[in-house]
């Protein structure tokens, strides 16, 4: 259902993306660091009757090109801008899991809201480093152990069972298109040091935050703290779910997103 396409960015990097190519309102989905578009296949099927569904493999991930260039959130946002411009997308519902949400916030910061209708954040707080101003960071990450703490292999973060067929396909793909965390480490540490609260406090479009109740990476209460930043932000908790909401609980995610979109 999702057809693989490619974009060559203005710095010469091949970015893979998948597109149902239908004449409907677009959903643009962005995986988290180290993840792949394949893990969005089940949820893409659920949205297909009402929306055009597009998923990008960020640079250095999935089937996109491996490169030392652009290991920063702003470059990831520029990649999104190039894809949006190429496809002439408008009235976009942007959905990001983990660092994918940060890529969308960076896009908003750099390119504005003109092409966006709404944002959905899947299990990503605006700040990863816990300190006196923000208590809901990434596990035990603090300024005292940053960035060395991020060298630990924390796993993929799922809590519950992922669809067998989709999981096997993702595993087979990862064997062909290996992800090298150490070669993308600059991206991880740059992601971890960001604080997106200034963007969210000024947010002009609705945003839904979905947090996995059993996420091994984040305390799900961060979602309610985000609601307090801006009246445009609403939060829901996905039960029996870890960090990969789109893969672990695609139906619950779909229902919450559809309910949110009807409200706005």
């Amino acid at each position: 259902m999702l057809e693989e396409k490619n974009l060559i960015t203005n710095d010469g990097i091949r970015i893979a993306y998948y597109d149902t190519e239908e004449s409907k309102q677009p959903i643009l989905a962005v995986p988290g660091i180290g993840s792949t578009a394949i893990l969005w296949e089940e949820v893409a099927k659920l949205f297909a009757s009402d929306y055009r569904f597009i998923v990008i493999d960020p640079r250095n991930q999935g089937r996109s090109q491996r490169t030392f260039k652009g290991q920063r959130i702003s470059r990831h946002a520029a990649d999104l801008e190039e894809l949006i411009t190429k496809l002439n997308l408008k009235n976009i519902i942007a959905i990001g899991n983990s660092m994918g949400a940060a890529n969308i916030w960076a896009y908003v910061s750099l390119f504005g809201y003109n092409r966006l209708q709404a944002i959905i954040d899947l299990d990503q707080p605006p700040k990863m480093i816990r300190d006196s101003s923000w208590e809901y960071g990434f596990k035990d990450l603090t300024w005292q152990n940053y960035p060395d703490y991020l060298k630990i292999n924390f796993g993929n973060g799922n809590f519950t069972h992922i669809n067998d067929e989709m999981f096997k396909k993702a595993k087979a793909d990862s064997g062909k298109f290996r992800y090298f965390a150490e070669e993308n480490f600059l991206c991880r540490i740059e992601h971890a040091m960001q604080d997106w609260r200034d963007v969210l406090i000024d947010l002009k479009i609705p945003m839904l935050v979905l947090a996995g109740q059993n996420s091994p990476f984040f305390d799900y209460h961060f979602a309610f703290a985000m609601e307090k930043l801006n009246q445009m932000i609403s939060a829901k908790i996905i039960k029996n779910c870890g960090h990969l909401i789109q893969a672990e609980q695609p139906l619950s995610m779909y229902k919450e997103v559809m309910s949110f979109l009807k409200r706005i």
Side-chain angles (χ1 to χ4, degrees), residues 125 127-130 134-141 217-219 222:
K127 181 171 162 56
M128 297 271 282
I129 297 177
R130 182 162 42 85
W134 183 258
E135 61 179 305
Y136 302 109
F138 175 77
K139 293 179 76 70
D140 295 319
L141 180 63
F217 296 158
F218 302 110
D219 178 344
F222 81 81

Side-chain angles (χ1 to χ4, degrees), residues 24-30 51-55 77 79-96 104 107-108 111-120 205-207 257 260-261 264:
K24 300 174 182 176
Q25 183 178 7
I27 289 176
L28 177 58
V30 189
Y51 295 94
R52 176 181 181 179
F53 203 93
I54 304 155
V55 194
D79 293 344
L80 290 180
E81 166 65 8
E82 289 195 47
L83 179 60
I84 288 168
T85 300
K86 175 182 177 176
L87 301 179
N88 193 26
L89 302 179
K90 299 175 182 177
N91 206 27
I92 302 165
I93 299 159
I95 305 180
I104 294 167
Y107 172 88
V108 168
F111 304 106
Y113 306 91
N114 288 346
R115 291 180 179 262
L116 301 182
Q117 183 197 19
I119 299 171
I120 292 93
I205 59 175
M207 184 172 82
V257 171
F260 165 71
L261 294 175
I264 66 171

Side-chain angles (χ1 to χ4, degrees), residues 39-263:
L39 293 176
W40 293 77
E41 284 192 347
E42 286 299 304
V43 81
K45 293 175 185 176
L46 295 170
F47 284 105
S49 61
D50 297 302
Y51 295 94
R52 176 181 181 179
F53 203 93
I54 304 155
V55 194
I56 188 172
D57 269 335
R59 56 177 61 207
N60 282 326
Q61 297 176 210
R63 297 189 178 188
S64 289
Q65 185 176 336
R66 303 303 187 258
T67 176
F68 69 94
K69 294 193 288 186
Q71 293 185 49
R72 59 187 66 88
I73 305 299
S74 58
R75 180 64 246 190
H76 282 243
D79 293 344
L80 290 180
E81 166 65 8
E82 289 195 47
L83 179 60
I84 288 168
T85 300
K86 175 182 177 176
L87 301 179
N88 193 26
L89 302 179
K90 299 175 182 177
N91 206 27
I92 302 165
I93 299 159
I95 305 180
N97 174 227
S98 193
M99 194 181 80
N103 292 350
I104 294 167
W105 298 332
Y107 172 88
V108 168
S109 176
L110 292 169
F111 304 106
Y113 306 91
N114 288 346
R115 291 180 179 262
L116 301 182
Q117 183 197 19
I119 299 171
I120 292 93
D121 164 16
L122 305 181
D123 210 52
Q124 177 63 50
K127 181 171 162 56
M128 297 271 282
I129 297 177
R130 182 162 42 85
D131 58 23
S132 59
S133 73
W134 183 258
E135 61 179 305
Y136 302 109
F138 175 77
K139 293 179 76 70
D140 295 319
L141 180 63
T142 65
W143 286 115
Q144 285 67 45
N145 59 23
Y146 170 88
D148 289 341
Y149 183 75
L150 295 168
K151 295 178 181 178
I152 298 171
N153 181 0
F154 297 102
N156 60 22
N158 63 296
F159 172 78
T160 194
H161 183 76
I162 294 174
N163 174 275
D164 287 330
E165 183 179 348
M166 185 171 65
F167 181 79
K168 287 178 182 178
K169 189 173 179 180
K171 190 172 183 179
D173 232 45
S174 68
K176 296 177 184 177
F177 308 95
R178 292 188 61 195
Y179 174 71
F180 300 98
E182 65 277 8
E183 294 181 11
N184 201 38
F185 185 62
L186 292 177
C187 188
R188 176 174 287 200
I189 64 175
E190 207 262 355
H191 165 47
M193 70 177 238
Q194 296 295 330
D195 182 347
W196 299 104
R197 287 178 293 179
D198 64 312
V199 175
L200 300 184
I201 287 169
D202 196 43
L203 198 63
K204 302 293 194 301
I205 59 175
M207 184 172 82
L208 172 66
V209 181
L210 297 180
Q213 189 173 41
N214 309 100
S215 174
F217 296 158
F218 302 110
D219 178 344
Y220 68 87
H221 292 91
F222 81 81
F224 302 123
M226 290 178 72
E227 278 189 314
K228 297 177 181 178
L229 296 176
N230 190 321
Q231 64 180 4
M232 301 296 285
I233 302 173
S234 56
K236 294 286 184 179
I237 308 304
I238 304 296
K239 296 180 179 179
N240 190 34
C241 189
H243 185 58
L244 300 177
I245 293 174
Q246 72 279 7
E248 297 179 62
Q249 295 290 357
L251 183 58
S252 294
M253 173 194 155
Y254 169 75
K255 289 179 178 178
E256 290 293 355
V257 171
M258 290 299 289
S259 177
F260 165 71
L261 294 175
K262 287 177 183 177
R263 291 198 304 272

